[in-house]
Amino acid sequence: PTDEDSGSCGNVVYDFWWGMELYPKIGPLNLKQFTNCRFGMMAWAILPIIFACHQYQRDGFLADSVAVCVALMCIYNFKFFVWETGYFNSMDIQHDRAGYYICWGCLVWVPAVYASPALYIASVQPPVNLGPQAAAAIFALGCLSIWINYDSDRQRQEFRASGGKKKVWGKKPVIVEAEYKVAKDGKTVTKKSILLASGWWAIARHFHYLPEISASFFWTSPALFGKLPPYLYVIFLTVLLIDRSMRDDTRCSLKYGKHWKKYCELVPYKIVPGIF
């Protein structure tokens, strides 16, 4: 094993599906980083550009619907690689083991499904013509969603790095100081953590999921609304992030106990304020 979070649950099928190690390595190669970032996300970054080139070669011009979709995906993926170190603090990396579930998802599902809106939009004949006003509006709203997603992650990351001392939106942040217990060398050790309840994180406990879903909607909307298939990724992402927010809440409730209850009183909603 390459880390302490490893081992079998006793069920061969479950071990294969969920994984037995959190950070498996082959020599210096981190398999989880390779499958998630170097293969899955890079494939998603490249494929939409290939689809746009196909549409341009076929029709002799680049349709504004294709340009908006592909540009937003490229901006999102650029944001991801700029923020890659922050991704290492996500649930995928920190808590989900590297089994068939996550490896197949990153090697197959991500390139096939995440890039599918661009494939659909580039395949339509004749290509959808949005017009300059609609194209500009969709692009602007998509960029805003991506920026909010990035800024909310950045805000929490900088807050943690400063030990809770960094101001949030120019004000002293509202903090919940939490304690949790871990087993180490046969002993129970108490550790401390800080939970942010200011800025974007005063809106919802998993607020960054909301602009991520809206960004996926905006880069899919150039397909218009006549058919369901191009919206497969939006639907999948919505279900995935709702499930992830509930799993993360359960995990944090077990980890922090009364401190998590206090945090939930300050920030009562998971993703959408007033609704969920």
Side-chain angles (χ1 to χ4, degrees), residues 245-260:
S245 71
M246 293 189 291
R247 286 198 295 131
D248 200 30
D249 266 27
T250 300
R251 183 185 63 81
C252 289
S253 179
L254 293 172
K255 180 179 179 180
Y256 296 121
K258 64 180 181 180
H259 305 291
W260 184 252

Side-chain angles (χ1 to χ4, degrees), residues 20-36:
M20 295 178 65
E21 289 196 54
L22 191 61
Y23 305 114
K25 294 181 179 179
I26 298 177
L29 178 65
N30 185 317
L31 292 177
K32 204 173 191 182
Q33 184 178 12
F34 173 76
T35 56
N36 291 31

Side-chain angles (χ1 to χ4, degrees), residues 5 18 22 32 90-97 251:
D5 191 346
W18 190 248
L22 191 61
K32 204 173 191 182
S90 71
M91 198 169 187
D92 285 355
I93 298 295
Q94 288 195 324
H95 304 289
D96 291 347
R97 292 185 177 185
R251 183 185 63 81

Side-chain angles (χ1 to χ4, degrees), residues 133-205:
Q133 292 182 334
I138 293 170
F139 181 73
L141 290 170
C143 286
L144 178 62
S145 298
I146 294 167
W147 178 80
I148 293 174
N149 176 252
Y150 168 77
D151 192 61
S152 58
D153 282 321
R154 177 202 58 79
Q155 188 178 81
R156 184 171 60 178
Q157 196 172 350
E158 291 183 354
F159 162 80
R160 287 174 175 171
S162 70
K165 296 178 182 178
K166 185 176 178 64
K167 290 185 177 180
V168 175
W169 290 352
K171 298 179 181 179
K172 184 179 179 180
V174 177
I175 298 172
V176 174
E177 295 184 356
E179 293 183 349
Y180 62 99
K181 299 182 184 297
V182 295
K184 188 175 182 181
D185 299 327
K187 298 179 181 179
T188 301
V189 179
T190 300
K191 292 191 174 185
K192 294 184 178 181
S193 184
I194 48 176
L195 307 175
L196 176 62
S198 290
W200 298 116
W201 303 96
I203 299 173
R205 298 194 294 275

Side-chain angles (χ1 to χ4, degrees), residues 61-103:
F61 66 93
L62 183 64
D64 57 4
S65 56
V66 176
V68 168
C69 171
V70 173
L72 288 174
M73 284 189 176
C74 287
I75 292 169
Y76 179 87
N77 279 291
F78 176 78
K79 182 273 302 182
F80 173 84
F81 287 109
V82 167
W83 173 78
E84 187 176 358
T85 53
Y87 174 64
F88 295 149
N89 295 318
S90 71
M91 198 169 187
D92 285 355
I93 298 295
Q94 288 195 324
H95 304 289
D96 291 347
R97 292 185 177 185
Y100 182 84
Y101 151 76
I102 197 168
C103 292

